Amino acid sequence: MRENIEKNPSCVDDYDRESITTEEAINKILSSISPIKKTELVPIRESLNRVLAIDVKSTINVPSAKNSAMDGYAINSKNIPKKTKTLKVVGKSLAGKPCNTSIKDGQCVKIMTGAVVPDGADTVVIQEHVETSKTQNEILIDNEIKPGSNVREAGEDIAKGAIAIKKGKNLTPADIGLLASLGIPKVEVYRKLKIAFFSTGDELRSLGEKLNVGDVYDSNRYTLYTMLSNLNVEIFDMGVVKDDKESLTQAFNEAAGEVDMLITSGGVSVGEADYIKDILEKYGNINFWKVAIKPGRPLTFGKIKSTLFFGLPGNPVSVMVTFYQFTQLAIKKFAGETSYLPIVLKAISTSSLRKKPGRVEYQRGIFEKDKNNNLTVRKTGPQGSGILRSMSEANCFIVLPIDSKEVNPGDSVDIQPFEGII
Ligand code: AMP
Ligand code: MG
């Protein structure tokens, strides 16, 4: 009897033989997902945060012609003198108004930034480095000129035929500007994923309802909705589903096969009203259901019909941790993105952090530079999985490896800045 009790891990134990590691979970998730196939053509202004479905090749040289990087005079480097030399100004080249004369020996052309460098010229001397005659017909140059300086070659940014942006990129304002610079008005992106979610729990109340003793407002619906909004997917909010087998089964069947992914929160532990895992087992299949992490160990991943399924834990911080560490990677790969892992940096902890070996912990921290310009991190108060303020105040996760023990002030730790995740 005693032996039996010891074999059953509880949620407060850190080692648990049934849990898989973070790396195993990520591998299982990524290897069970192939990117969606369907694409659509959208105007580039509507393509922010959409995933590029093709390699975009340039049909032009950018810049289209050799042009000046500065205001000055276009000269031929053969005319750079041993000491000083006078050159005759034979024309003017402005951005959008090139000068059609080509320069000959002893001549130059006044040129503005962005203007085409005329034939015969290969160098621009900036105007501060020349002396102009009263009539401005002549300039005096000296020997301190580097041949080829201040000239941008045609195709220097992107050569005609080169890949400008690779398939799988989540388009940013810079990408959209780049597409515009190539003269591309519409771009082929993957269709948006359809993702449904619901909360479970009889204690959950919607905003506007009165809280009775023991009730809580359903905050997961709001964090999930907004985390999904950031990923630019089509969202189907299925509300709160009651903690009984019939209601949950009905909700599962409504979503199965209709959306690309179903996400639930709550009801995945081993408590009396935790039916999610049983229902998934019955109508779909479970890939894994426990990961050695804190918070968020009871995380269920599987499939029901063609719909991928994530059963996130109920605690508000666990929802956010499991979403960012696992669900978001899945969504990104599914949506066609080729880069989905969070950025990890090293920082010096200024707090003591409690930690037992057995699980990877994602504590919530605030990172900043100290007066010596070193990156430091401190924890945001109590770290309970229900304390959403610990997430709200944080700007990073402090990631403590599975076998690590407590952290002392001065120790180096890994952090994932929210900027690189959220
Ligand atoms: P569960 O995983 O269903 O056992 O829930 C664990 C804890 O998270 C309980 O204290 C729940 O009241 C709380 N919880 C579950 N779902 C939500 C939700 N949608 N919003 C806020 N708290 C929740
Ligand atoms: Mg519950």
Side-chain angles (χ1 to χ4, degrees):
M1 186 64 188
R2 173 93 199 118
E3 207 177 89
N4 212 10
I5 290 173
E6 277 174 358
K7 270 187 192 155
N8 290 320
S10 88
C11 64
V12 292
D13 291 332
D14 281 279
Y15 277 112
D16 171 3
R17 276 166 285 121
E18 287 174 325
S19 294
I20 61 170
T21 64
T22 299
E23 294 74 24
E24 281 169 330
I26 290 175
N27 284 339
K28 278 173 182 283
I29 291 168
L30 295 180
S31 61
S32 64
I33 294 174
S34 348
I36 44 169
K37 301 243 158 37
K38 210 165 162 227
T39 65
E40 61 196 28
L41 203 59
V42 298
I44 58 171
R45 272 194 210 204
E46 287 160 33
S47 70
L48 184 64
N49 277 336
R50 299 295 301 268
V51 184
L52 194 60
I54 43 143
D55 284 338
V56 170
K57 283 195 185 146
S58 178
T59 53
I60 57 169
N61 273 324
V62 180
S64 60
K66 189 154 115 176
N67 70 86
S68 178
M70 301 291 275
D71 293 343
Y73 293 86
I75 67 163
N76 188 311
S77 55
K78 286 196 198 113
N79 278 316
I80 297 172
K82 290 246 159 54
K83 283 189 179 160
T84 57
K85 184 170 182 173
T86 301
L87 298 178
K88 195 158 186 266
V89 183
V90 294
K92 204 191 266 180
S93 183
L94 304 176
K97 283 194 193 128
C99 127
N100 295 323
T101 30
S102 63
I103 61 165
K104 301 191 180 68
D105 197 33
Q107 296 183 335
C108 69
V109 154
K110 191 169 164 77
I111 194 163
M112 297 296 132
T113 307
V116 173
V117 173
D119 285 346
D122 61 4
T123 301
V124 170
V125 196
I126 64 171
Q127 64 193 14
E128 293 82 353
H129 290 175
V130 305
E131 242 176 67
T132 38
S133 65
K134 270 206 183 116
T135 55
Q136 310 238 325
N137 283 345
E138 284 179 344
I139 58 164
L140 186 69
I141 58 171
D142 62 18
N143 58 354
E144 304 242 319
I145 300 166
K146 230 175 97 213
S149 52
N150 304 315
V151 167
R152 300 188 284 219
E153 294 298 332
E156 192 178 275
D157 289 354
I158 301 164
K160 189 173 167 177
I163 294 176
I165 314 176
K166 283 209 173 123
K167 176 179 165 169
K169 177 102 200 283
N170 188 321
L171 295 171
T172 62
D175 296 324
I176 291 164
L178 186 55
L179 291 167
S181 76
L182 300 176
I184 297 172
K186 288 186 176 180
V187 71
E188 200 170 334
V189 295
Y190 290 107
R191 76 158 169 85
K192 287 189 184 185
L193 290 179
K194 293 180 178 22
I195 302 187
F197 71 94
F198 63 81
S199 304
T200 69
D202 293 341
E203 75 284 25
L204 301 180
R205 293 288 158 268
S206 294
L207 303 191
E209 283 181 359
K210 194 171 153 285
L211 287 188
N212 289 318
V213 181
D215 290 350
V216 289
Y217 284 122
D218 180 359
S219 60
N220 293 347
R221 244 167 96 195
Y222 291 81
T223 45
L224 271 172
Y225 182 88
T226 44
M227 289 189 292
L228 288 169
S229 302
N230 269 349
L231 295 171
N232 214 356
V233 298
E234 242 182 277
I235 305 169
F236 300 85
D237 181 350
M238 297 174 69
V240 181
V241 176
K242 283 182 68 172
D243 271 335
D244 63 63
K245 276 198 173 169
E246 296 68 46
S247 310
L248 288 167
T249 306
Q250 196 191 332
F252 263 75
N253 287 328
E254 252 175 58
E258 295 297 319
V259 290
D260 299 301
M261 186 185 286
L262 172 65
I263 302 171
T264 61
S265 78
V268 284
S269 314
V270 285
E272 230 171 71
D274 294 326
Y275 302 123
I276 296 278
K277 194 174 141 251
D278 298 345
I279 296 172
L280 186 66
E281 205 156 34
K282 188 161 171 198
Y283 297 99
N285 51 64
I286 296 177
N287 190 316
F288 61 78
W289 63 285
K290 262 189 188 184
V291 187
I293 56 168
K294 186 178 175 183
R297 175 160 53 193
L299 166 69
T300 304
F301 173 64
K303 208 166 187 183
I304 177 159
K305 292 196 185 156
S306 59
T307 299
L308 274 188
F309 177 79
F310 274 95
L312 309 185
N315 273 307
V317 179
S318 310
V319 165
M320 298 195 77
V321 167
T322 48
F323 184 92
Y324 286 127
Q325 301 301 329
F326 303 101
T327 313
Q328 181 162 284
L329 310 189
I331 293 174
K332 288 185 170 200
K333 180 165 184 196
F334 204 177
E337 278 191 59
T338 44
S339 155
Y340 26 73
L341 294 174
I343 292 166
V344 181
L345 302 175
K346 288 264 180 225
I348 305 294
S349 178
T350 56
S351 311
S352 317
L353 307 174
R354 282 172 45 195
K355 161 85 170 68
K356 283 192 261 167
R359 297 197 247 177
V360 176
E361 285 198 19
Y362 300 90
Q363 300 202 8
R364 278 74 65 204
I366 298 170
F367 77 97
E368 61 199 349
K369 274 188 173 176
D370 68 8
K371 57 181 187 308
N372 300 322
N373 250 351
N374 292 318
L375 210 55
T376 62
V377 66
R378 61 196 152 89
K379 71 170 183 179
T380 54
Q383 295 286 313
S385 58
I387 305 173
L388 206 44
R389 215 181 72 204
S390 68
M391 267 307 284
S392 165
E393 288 174 358
N395 65 5
C396 68
F397 285 121
I398 305 171
V399 186
L400 305 177
I402 191 160
D403 290 324
S404 69
K405 292 189 187 144
E406 76 281 349
V407 170
N408 295 309
D411 289 351
S412 171
V413 289
D414 281 346
I415 60 166
Q416 292 175 347
F418 286 169
E419 279 297 312
I421 314 174
I422 297 178

